[in-house]
Amino acid sequence: LKSSVPKVASASVAMSPPSTSAKCDVAPRSFDDLARAEEESLRLTFRSSRSDEQALDIVLHQDICAGIPGVLYDASLVLAARLVEDPCLLRGKVLELGCGTACAGLVAAALGRKVVCTDKSNRALELAVGSSADSALQRSISFAHWDWSEAMPPSCGGASTILAADLVYSEAGAAALLHALNGAAQKDCTVLVIFKLRSPAVRDSIRAFLKGASELFRECIPLPISPAASIRIENKAGVAMPPPDIASQRFYMYKLRR
């Protein structure tokens, strides 16, 4: 439906209901897949379409009781798959904003980048630290608490690439993310931002973000979701879980350049 596609000035831009089985009360956005969200740990395997590339494996810990930041969500998986397929999207030091379980940041570290992941949820950061240890990535990734209403931590400075996955679902959230990006993005910094279109309200919020981004950044251009690496998700018992449907036309990715 063309009216559902976000648009921005000069660039062409391209839920399931709650279950009573949920262990904790979480917002609908928290469970793109409730069965997946209820797992305490997942093994993620990304395989590039380039036949000469080895599969990339990540162990990722979750806590559904931590709410939104404590579970893995689809847009972060899709962003991670794009990075595995095209590592050249990452330049220099990488900063992930609102990392939650840090799927994208962990994958960037596994691809050899130095990464700082931030979130305002201490519990999410605890989970991500555990994931980095169990994925043998401690030397490549660090974590910092950052509530965007506060000053940016010094460790976040100097990033050449910023990742932001599924952080806009209200106009207030769009304004907050723009504020954080304005402080974190230095000259020539690239921002990779991905959205999942869930409702008309989210669509309007994405449009508000893109309008603001086109004023802050000299480039604000759409990126294709494909090609992307294949994704395999397994729970602790080794049972496969469904990956996100990348072809669903609900994901929108943009590159911003300062």
Side-chain angles (χ1 to χ4, degrees), residues 16-245:
S16 57
S19 165
T20 55
S21 67
K23 299 174 184 176
C24 303
D25 291 330
V26 289
R29 177 177 167 269
S30 299
F31 37 83
D32 283 335
D33 184 310
L34 179 57
R36 186 179 74 203
E38 290 183 322
E39 297 291 337
E40 292 183 357
S41 66
L42 300 167
R43 179 172 294 277
L44 312 177
T45 301
F46 299 88
R47 190 177 297 276
S48 170
S49 63
R50 301 185 301 277
S51 59
D52 59 332
E53 296 290 335
Q54 290 187 335
L56 187 153
D57 290 310
I58 294 293
V59 175
L60 189 136
H61 297 299
Q62 302 188 116
D63 180 359
I64 195 172
C65 291
I68 288 172
V71 300
L72 174 65
Y73 44 95
D74 289 346
S76 188
L77 277 166
V78 175
L79 175 56
R82 280 292 281 119
L83 298 178
V84 172
E85 186 68 24
D86 189 1
C88 292
L89 289 170
L90 298 168
R91 300 184 306 116
K93 176 181 176 180
V94 176
L95 170 66
E96 184 174 12
L97 301 182
C99 69
T101 56
C103 174
L106 289 164
V107 164
L111 290 168
R113 304 320 191 260
K114 288 293 185 181
V115 181
V116 178
C117 289
T118 68
D119 204 281
K120 68 178 181 179
S121 166
N122 288 323
R123 178 57 179 152
L125 294 173
E126 290 174 0
L127 292 165
V129 168
S131 299
S132 70
D134 288 344
S135 302
L137 294 171
Q138 309 98 306
R139 294 185 179 181
S140 300
I141 192 166
S142 60
F143 301 89
H145 180 272
W146 186 14
D147 183 321
W148 297 338
S149 65
E150 301 170 356
M152 184 179 75
S155 62
C156 298
S160 297
T161 305
I162 298 176
L163 307 178
D166 208 8
L167 299 180
V168 172
Y169 45 99
S170 69
E171 294 203 20
L177 178 56
L178 288 167
H179 174 75
L181 288 174
N182 192 39
Q186 61 184 10
K187 181 177 172 56
D188 292 325
C189 177
T190 296
V191 180
L192 301 176
V193 57
I194 188 168
F195 312 101
K196 183 176 180 180
L197 188 61
R198 291 182 167 82
S199 69
V202 170
R203 177 197 61 208
D204 293 343
S205 301
I206 294 171
R207 287 177 171 169
F209 172 83
L210 294 173
K211 182 177 184 298
S214 67
E215 297 168 358
L216 286 178
F217 293 85
R218 58 187 171 91
E219 288 183 9
C220 180
I221 59 175
L223 291 180
I225 295 297
S226 296
S230 66
I231 306 168
R232 180 174 175 82
I233 306 170
E234 295 180 353
N235 66 11
K236 190 183 296 186
V239 176
M241 311 194 81
D245 181 5

